[in-house]
Amino acid sequence: MWCACKERPASSPAEPWSEAWVESEREQYLSSATFRRQALLASLQNPANTYSQQRVASYGVAGKGWDALPEWNPRSVRLPADLSEVSDNAASLWNGVKPKTPTEWVALGREVFFAYPLRAEPLVEFAVKHPELALETGLERDKSGAYVGLVSFKDIDGRTRTGITCALCHASVQDGAVVTGQARRTFDYGRLRLAYHQETKEPVDPDLARRMATWGPGRADVTDDVDEDPVAIPDLFGLRQQTALTQAGTIRQTTPVALAIRQETQLLHSNHERVRPPRVLAWALAMYLYSLEPMPVAHARTAETERGARLFARHCAECHSNQAYGGPPMAAARVGTDAALANGAARGTGNYRPPALIRVSQAAPYLHHGAVPTLEDLFSPERLSASYTRSPLGPGPVPGHAYGTDWPLADRTALIAWLQTL
Ligand code: HEC
Ligand code: HEC
């Protein structure tokens, strides 16, 4: 589709997000360091946070910084129940052939999502040798007994190690079926680390130990700063609709290049900046993330859910404005929830972004910090009061996002009935 809109530069061949446009963005991403550098700079919401500073210093600087790292196409197998060694003859994750069709890009991205190691992880290696701990901390297995999101791989030094992949946090297992994109809300990273330190007697900072004990399942502090700002692992549905990525809206997303760069830099950063993923794999991963669809729900539309939909349109759609019911970021002070993550030194922007609401009824606990256990609580006035006791973070009020909490019960019930159909 061609567009004669004035504001579009002449070099852009097609309607944004059309297949032709995505291809053109991809080819520039793959071939030009200057293009990548510009795309990176355009994607950083707050150039002053450490996330931005690391990237500005090292990304897309031709011949230097992260561009100079060797590419790594690992030999990696999904972790089987018997924890076997990866054979020296095992094939690399990618056969080196660039995909030709959107379907091929998505299929390659799926491999990256499940099998490209972010890094070796002694914690999970320890846990799989203690199956009870593995079970308790959310290291789930599929029907074949393989651990979802864990791999056995040949590390850069030639040793076989256990590694973690995207699927550890961003896929869950329900009745033996793997639901990709649905957050692993059983994964208890803090507990796993504490168990590891107890068993190995490896020292741990007592303050960090105290904090890790409070994270609980489905929450982790993924930023390497001193701020105490653990976040809930989000679902990855409807990402393509969002103009900003992460809950604090750290990354502006006007092009898939923004997501490809996020994934390229996440993978090389997690791996201690020793190697970088081939960019074809970073692009494939982004295409796979956009393709993620939730399991179907029974859309039982009733007069009540229709009434809930109208209430939402009137009171909520101002912020939850896109097709996935997410929207552009806003000042954290406006929504009024705890601002620690929004203002964090690592990825802070001062903002929070309304998350997508696809399958929101299965996405508890709610808000960026996972402080609210149910939708009923999210919209109940009790949550805002001093006598509130049901937050997984401990007793006391959970302030902010007060929308709907002052409605009559019948309206709140209709709203929730509608949210359950999304
Ligand atoms: C240890 C758990 C963990 C692993 C492993 C992990 N993530 Fe995440 N991911 C998170 C958390 C927690 C957040 C929320 C961060 C925030 O909003 O500040 C997140 C956020 C994201 C987002 C932004 C979502 C949004 O709503 O804007 C994307 C995209 C994403 N992750 C993709 C990936 C991919 C791809 C991989 C593999 C390369 C990966 N993640 C590995 C925990 C993890
Ligand atoms: C002024 C803008 C704004 C309005 C109005 C608004 N929201 Fe939100 N909503 C947000 C933001 C921002 C967040 C993320 C806040 C955070 O995580 O701290 C959010 C989070 C949520 C969540 C949590 C989702 C999750 O997965 O954790 C739900 C559910 C939600 N909103 C539904 C609604 C409903 C229903 C209404 C109307 C009654 C509404 N919102 C009105 C901005 C808004």
Side-chain angles (χ1 to χ4, degrees):
M1 233 207 310
W2 292 79
C3 174
C5 320
K6 278 207 193 85
E7 62 271 20
R8 185 150 313 132
S11 62
S12 178
E15 181 78 3
W17 301 99
S18 67
E19 211 175 292
W21 180 81
V22 170
E23 264 175 41
S24 145
E25 293 290 289
R26 180 187 72 219
E27 290 311 307
Q28 294 178 81
Y29 165 71
L30 294 177
S31 63
S32 163
T34 316
F35 178 83
R36 288 195 293 274
R37 175 87 183 164
Q38 280 169 0
L40 169 83
L41 296 176
S43 74
L44 300 172
Q45 174 66 30
N46 172 15
N49 62 30
T50 47
Y51 181 88
S52 299
Q53 284 180 356
Q54 278 170 343
R55 278 151 187 81
V56 170
S58 304
Y59 188 79
V61 200
K64 286 190 293 189
W66 293 339
D67 266 30
L69 294 174
E71 274 191 6
W72 188 47
N73 178 16
R75 286 181 284 163
S76 163
V77 296
R78 301 186 196 188
L79 196 71
D82 63 1
L83 310 178
S84 49
E85 280 272 308
V86 179
S87 116
D88 283 327
N89 310 320
S92 291
L93 187 146
W94 177 41
N95 66 6
V97 180
K98 189 169 141 189
K100 286 179 202 65
T101 62
T103 316
E104 285 178 14
W105 280 103
V106 168
L108 178 60
R110 188 170 203 283
E111 269 315 296
V112 179
F113 186 90
F114 281 96
Y116 196 102
L118 274 89
R119 58 166 184 272
E121 185 50 88
L123 284 180
V124 296
E125 195 163 325
F126 169 77
V128 293
K129 290 178 185 144
H130 299 77
E132 243 170 63
L133 179 67
L135 199 68
E136 283 166 20
T137 51
L139 301 182
E140 294 172 357
R141 299 174 185 220
D142 65 15
K143 281 193 183 117
S144 76
Y147 283 99
V148 178
L150 304 188
V151 287
S152 187
F153 72 104
K154 279 266 181 261
D155 209 344
I156 298 152
D157 60 7
R159 306 253 313 262
T160 299
R161 294 203 164 86
T162 303
I164 63 171
T165 74
C166 310
L168 174 62
C169 294
H170 293 296
S172 66
V173 181
Q174 280 182 0
D175 307 324
V178 177
V179 188
T180 314
Q182 187 170 78
R184 182 85 62 89
R185 299 199 167 86
T186 52
F187 177 47
D188 196 339
Y189 183 59
R191 175 129 193 256
L192 184 54
R193 275 183 71 172
L194 287 173
Y196 176 80
H197 285 293
Q198 249 160 35
E199 176 85 15
T200 60
K201 310 266 188 291
E202 210 177 274
V204 56
D205 173 51
D207 187 50
L208 179 63
R210 182 194 53 73
R211 283 158 46 183
M212 287 189 303
T214 67
W215 290 350
R219 296 169 80 246
D221 190 346
V222 289
T223 55
D224 44 10
D225 60 12
V226 296
D227 301 328
E228 170 60 4
D229 49 8
V231 284
I233 307 170
D235 287 348
L236 299 181
F237 305 128
L239 275 188
R240 159 64 190 82
Q241 306 300 327
Q242 296 284 32
T243 56
L245 298 172
T246 85
Q247 315 198 60
T250 311
I251 298 161
R252 286 199 204 104
Q253 181 182 236
T254 55
T255 154
V257 180
L259 181 56
I261 292 175
R262 178 195 191 266
Q263 296 316 147
E264 183 188 345
T265 60
Q266 180 187 20
L267 285 174
L268 69 84
H269 189 66
S270 324
N271 205 341
H272 313 293
E273 303 176 21
R274 300 176 301 171
V275 287
R276 65 177 175 81
R279 289 193 190 95
V280 162
L281 297 189
W283 188 268
L285 182 56
M287 294 302 111
Y288 179 61
L289 297 179
Y290 291 140
S291 79
L292 293 175
E293 296 271 359
M295 305 275 267
V297 282
H299 272 257
R301 293 268 158 116
T302 61
E304 182 169 56
T305 65
E306 291 310 298
R307 200 165 74 80
R310 286 194 298 276
L311 287 165
F312 185 90
R314 198 168 333 129
H315 300 284
C316 319
E318 173 196 354
C319 300
H320 294 271
S321 52
N322 65 34
Q323 281 173 37
Y325 307 103
M330 67 197 62
R334 181 168 172 209
V335 65
T337 48
D338 181 302
L341 180 70
N343 295 331
R347 302 194 191 168
T349 58
N351 296 331
Y352 282 127
R353 177 210 62 184
L357 301 180
I358 298 170
R359 300 300 181 274
V360 67
S361 64
Q362 297 165 27
Y366 298 106
L367 300 176
H368 69 273
H369 43 6
V372 184
T374 62
L375 286 174
E376 283 74 15
D377 280 20
L378 184 62
F379 299 108
S380 111
E382 199 194 336
R383 165 175 66 88
L384 306 168
S385 79
S387 59
Y388 184 64
T389 53
R390 283 191 298 275
S391 171
L393 274 53
V398 180
H401 201 282
Y403 320 108
T405 56
D406 57 351
W407 297 0
L409 182 61
D411 286 1
R412 287 188 266 139
T413 307
L415 175 75
I416 291 168
W418 183 71
L419 292 174
Q420 281 162 346
T421 69
L422 301 183

